[in-house]
Amino acid sequence: MQPQLRQTKKEEVQTEAPKAEALPKAASVTEGGRVKASPLAKKIASELGVDLSTVAGSGPNGRIVQKDVLAAEVKPAVVEKAAPEVKAAPAAAPVQPANADVVKPLTNMRKVIAKRMQQSKNTAPHVTITTEVNVDKTIALRSKLNAKNADVRFSYTDILVKMCATALRNYPKINASITDDSMIFHDKINIGVAVALDDGLIVPVVSNADRKGLKAITKETKDLINKARTNTLSPDEMSGATFTISNLGSYDIDGFTPVINLPEAAILGVGRIVKKPIVNENDEIVPASMMVLSMSFDHRVVDGAQAAEFLKALKGYLEDPDNMYV
């Protein structure tokens, strides 16, 4: 008779799968269960359905900021460990035809952009007006400024920020927003500057632009754009805009109809500068540097005549920058 083999407890094979293990609590959650997050991060998390208790914050003391939410993935609170299994050799990947579509999931940034653009078009009755501007004198001004200042280089967007801020102070009905039962005319003039990124669009804000000189605006704009491209903007640097500028001139675009960045009442679209013949005040055909401006406005807040007066004033500044000081 063969001797019966016995297994000790250590050698016995487990038949039960290991119990689920909870993920460690994110550093941004306090012992009392409160999530430390900026107001902007909370708003975006609500829009995207991200559970902030699963997000680790990169801000001071583990505070969750916007970039943490945009980079987060929705993860289950508990991960079940599967019982060990023998894996077969991986099958060869199917050969994709050369013309196969590529499907990529939406990033969190693109989800936010899509939701806000759809909300803007569905909520605000957009009207867009356009005008063509002779910018010869603005070009001369920029060249003069850049020749005199070795430490900073002025762009047309910088000049437009200053000109728009000046015009908004003179036309406060454009620097406004609307609620269900009231109009808000903002005391501060904060200009948003649209910046294109590989994954979307972001709008840093030059606050109190009407109270700053052109050189200060230029330095601040350059700093904000650099931060936008390195994903280091603070929530305060991305909120509070009362008017936005979107400049596509560097992409050889003549004109376009920009979408309003709610709750703002208007946005300015800027096209490229093109040399073309015009008829001057003496009925002579002369070359001129022309730029197309397109302004979309919320017709609930701004009437057509008010928008036209504002754009006419801005055109006057571009055609003769001395008009800003008259």
Side-chain angles (χ1 to χ4, degrees):
M1 179 182 293
Q2 295 290 336
Q4 189 175 9
L5 298 178
R6 298 181 62 190
Q7 290 179 321
T8 65
K9 290 184 178 180
K10 290 183 179 179
E11 295 171 337
E12 291 177 358
V13 179
Q14 289 185 344
T15 58
E16 294 182 4
K19 293 182 179 180
E21 296 181 4
L23 290 176
K25 182 172 62 176
S28 55
V29 180
T30 65
E31 291 300 326
R34 185 176 65 85
V35 177
K36 295 183 293 184
S38 69
L40 183 59
K42 291 179 180 178
K43 179 181 178 182
I44 294 175
S46 176
E47 292 176 350
L48 296 175
V50 173
D51 182 0
L52 286 176
S53 66
T54 66
V55 179
S58 63
N61 299 318
R63 189 170 188 248
I64 299 171
V65 295
Q66 183 197 35
K67 66 178 181 180
D68 301 324
V69 179
L70 293 177
E73 297 179 2
V74 179
K75 300 178 180 178
V78 176
V79 177
E80 296 287 346
K81 288 188 175 180
E85 59 178 331
V86 178
K87 295 184 178 180
V95 178
Q96 294 286 339
N99 62 347
D101 294 338
V102 177
V103 179
K104 293 184 178 181
L106 290 175
T107 63
N108 284 340
M109 177 178 283
R110 180 53 62 184
K111 288 178 182 177
V112 171
I113 292 171
K115 183 172 182 176
R116 290 181 177 172
M117 292 299 97
Q118 183 179 31
Q119 179 187 26
S120 178
K121 292 295 287 186
N122 290 344
T123 302
H126 282 55
V127 178
T128 303
I129 56 176
T130 62
T131 189
E132 196 171 24
V133 185
N134 182 340
V135 293
D136 281 335
K137 290 187 177 181
T138 293
I139 292 173
L141 171 65
R142 176 174 177 262
S143 298
K144 183 178 178 180
L145 290 171
N146 284 331
K148 284 186 174 182
N149 297 271
D151 60 326
V152 63
R153 183 167 179 80
F154 299 87
S155 72
Y156 292 113
T157 298
D158 302 327
I159 295 172
L160 279 164
V161 168
K162 180 60 179 177
M163 290 180 172
C164 285
T166 302
L168 287 169
R169 182 56 69 193
N170 295 327
Y171 295 89
K173 291 181 179 179
I174 311 298
N175 196 54
S177 56
I178 191 171
T179 65
D180 289 339
D181 55 8
S182 61
M183 296 269 286
I184 303 171
F185 299 98
H186 303 290
D187 177 59
K188 291 185 177 181
I189 295 177
N190 303 331
I191 306 295
V193 179
V195 178
L197 305 178
D198 291 339
D199 193 36
L201 187 73
I202 197 165
V203 185
V205 181
V206 180
S207 299
N208 297 308
D210 61 317
R211 300 172 187 173
K212 295 175 179 175
L214 182 56
K215 192 170 185 178
I217 288 173
T218 299
K219 289 183 176 181
E220 184 174 344
T221 301
K222 298 295 184 295
D223 181 56
L224 290 171
I225 291 174
N226 288 334
K227 286 184 177 181
R229 290 173 177 165
T230 56
N231 197 25
T232 56
L233 285 168
S234 70
D236 288 343
E237 291 170 328
M238 292 184 290
S239 59
T242 59
F243 185 88
T244 292
I245 297 172
S246 179
N247 189 345
L248 294 181
S250 61
Y251 298 94
D252 287 343
I253 298 301
D254 292 318
F256 60 105
T257 55
V259 179
I260 300 166
N261 190 20
L262 294 179
E264 300 162 34
I267 180 172
L268 181 72
V270 183
R272 63 174 177 165
I273 297 173
V274 180
K275 201 81 169 179
K276 59 175 64 175
I278 65 167
V279 179
N280 65 13
E281 61 275 9
N282 297 321
D283 289 336
E284 299 169 332
I285 298 177
V286 296
S289 300
M290 305 300 292
M291 171 193 286
V292 173
L293 300 179
S294 305
M295 190 175 85
S296 296
F297 60 93
D298 185 344
H299 215 334
R300 298 174 303 167
V301 184
V302 181
D303 295 331
Q306 296 166 346
E309 288 175 356
F310 171 83
L311 200 57
K312 182 179 179 180
L314 183 59
K315 176 178 179 177
Y317 298 161
L318 286 163
E319 291 187 336
D320 188 354
D322 289 341
N323 288 330
M324 284 197 296
Y325 310 105
V326 175

